Amino acid sequence: NLVYDFLKARDYTFVSLSSSWTGTYKNTKSDITLANDLKQNGFEIILLKKTPLALFLPNMQVKILPMHTNSILDNISKINNIQGPTFSYVHILSPHPPFVFEPDGSIVSGLGYCMEGKDGSHYFESCPGVNKYQERYVNQLAYLNMRFETIINEILENSETPPIIILQSDHGPGSMLDWTSLENSNVQERLSILNAYYAPEKTKEMLYPSITPVNSFRVLFN
């Protein structure tokens, strides 16, 4: 992509901390990959579901997914030890389903088959209703907020050169999303995202309330 090419031409090191989602599980352009310790990516899990091992898969994921998410969060601070300019891409599935964290970071009990990562109306095919979805979403978000506040403060304290940080989600919750009907969906819930920037003052002056992710780097590079 253009951002990668632009920064690589200026001697940036590309660091990747990736989730289990197949699209980012393995980035072939990364110079350094941290925390990619998950034993199965999304594609491999789909294959496992076609075998008798699927009977044991939920219990495996209850242990593996939170461990991997915490591993990503724990390893972000290591980026400061890399010499020279870095561009780091950190992707975690939380607070997307499955909801595995309580607000204090402990693991939700009794998840059963709610470990498939389905969202919106697909989620409710095997998991509790809207109220429970919203409760678990908020609980998991509370844990992430706590972790990221600490992580960002550590980055700022330990960076010789002030960093630029973008913290954003790709979509909102799906508690009121019906994949088969736009009319029955809460579009504002699904399409509203967090999109926060830590940047130099000149850059802040160029940001605007209606900015969307597609324009983030256009503003930063200007």
Side-chain angles (χ1 to χ4, degrees), residues 69-90:
T69 299
N70 279 321
S71 177
I72 292 176
L73 298 173
D74 293 341
N75 276 277
I76 293 175
S77 60
K78 293 182 180 179
I79 297 168
N80 279 338
N81 299 325
I82 300 171
Q83 297 298 312
T86 56
F87 174 80
S88 301
Y89 178 73
V90 182

Side-chain angles (χ1 to χ4, degrees), residues 200-209 211 215 218-222:
E201 288 300 323
K202 287 185 179 180
T203 306
K204 290 180 182 179
E205 294 172 3
M206 298 173 65
L207 295 170
Y208 47 95
I211 191 171
N215 287 313
R218 201 184 316 273
V219 170
L220 289 173
F221 292 159
N222 282 344

